[in-house]
Amino acid sequence: MASVFANSAAATRGGDEVYVAAVPLRATKGPAQLLMSSAYTLNVWDLQHFMVIIKPFSPPPHSQVFVCDFQPKDPENIYTALEVLSGRSVPGSVLVRKLTKLPRNKCWFVGSSKLDAVDVAINFNKSWETHLRIGQHDCRDYTNGLVERLTGRKLVLEHIRSIAGQS
């Protein structure tokens, strides 16, 4: 796991730590799922799902971290995939869930929050418009927006992409 702002005040640790992670896009089982997994393995930037991870300064029991992301309500439905690929808006869902630890791959430390980051994320999620449209209002916009709210850092994904050298 790398810090993308190593020489920056925003990257100093203290308070709740904020990370960005990339995972394969979810798809219907079979060839579509294989394609998404391959794209992730090959570092095809535009075919990855991005999410924000919060590691509380005072960890809850069992050192859990919180994952916040925005995705289609039914990401594995073939009709949802066709709607998304055609550029149409689909119903989305903002999710918050717990993990026992940070991912080891494609996970970047992007800064710290001076506020209670989980509370900030919950309030951010309440105001987030849930109609998803790829390239206009998707997981990238959500990730950039939540990271900016938590750390003050703008357009974090563009910065990660530039230093990670991904296509």
Side-chain angles (χ1 to χ4, degrees), residues 5 8-12 16-20 52-53 109-115 117 120 143-156:
F5 304 108
S8 163
T12 58
D16 294 345
E17 294 179 0
V18 180
Y19 297 81
V20 168
V52 177
I53 301 176
F109 173 73
V110 295
S112 297
S113 178
K114 294 180 178 159
L115 303 171
V120 171
T143 298
N144 280 329
L146 182 53
V147 167
E148 182 176 350
R149 183 78 55 89
L150 292 169
T151 68
R153 179 68 62 178
K154 295 181 183 207
L155 302 174
V156 70

Side-chain angles (χ1 to χ4, degrees):
M1 164 180 5
S3 173
V4 294
F5 304 108
N7 298 323
S8 163
T12 58
R13 297 185 192 249
D16 294 345
E17 294 179 0
V18 180
Y19 297 81
V20 168
V23 296
L25 287 170
R26 289 176 59 191
T28 55
K29 297 196 185 324
Q33 194 173 52
L34 179 62
L35 177 65
M36 293 302 116
S37 293
S38 298
Y40 173 78
T41 302
L42 296 171
N43 289 326
V44 179
W45 185 263
D46 293 330
L47 294 177
Q48 297 181 59
H49 176 69
F50 294 93
M51 55 194 180
V52 177
I53 301 176
I54 298 168
K55 182 178 179 186
F57 181 70
S58 299
H62 312 296
S63 300
Q64 294 176 329
V65 297
F66 295 87
V67 178
C68 306
D69 70 336
F70 177 56
Q71 64 183 18
K73 271 196 176 173
D74 192 0
E76 295 179 9
N77 182 312
I78 188 67
Y79 297 109
T80 298
L82 292 172
E83 290 288 314
V84 166
L85 291 172
S86 69
R88 294 192 178 107
S89 176
V90 298
S93 182
V94 176
L95 304 172
V96 177
R97 50 199 185 283
K98 296 176 186 176
L99 290 177
T100 55
K101 59 186 176 179
L102 290 168
R104 291 193 297 192
N105 296 320
K106 296 189 182 185
C107 182
W108 302 271
F109 173 73
V110 295
S112 297
S113 178
K114 294 180 178 159
L115 303 171
D116 182 326
V118 174
D119 283 345
V120 171
I122 289 168
N123 287 323
F124 180 84
N125 292 347
K126 288 178 185 175
S127 65
W128 186 257
E129 170 58 48
T130 58
H131 280 9
L132 184 146
R133 190 169 188 175
I134 297 297
Q136 294 181 10
H137 188 74
D138 58 22
C139 66
R140 289 162 182 74
D141 301 296
Y142 175 84
T143 298
N144 280 329
L146 182 53
V147 167
E148 182 176 350
R149 183 78 55 89
L150 292 169
T151 68
R153 179 68 62 178
K154 295 181 183 207
L155 302 174
V156 70
L157 288 178
E158 287 73 8
H159 185 73
I160 292 171
R161 185 176 189 171
S162 71
I163 64 154
Q166 296 191 0
S167 57

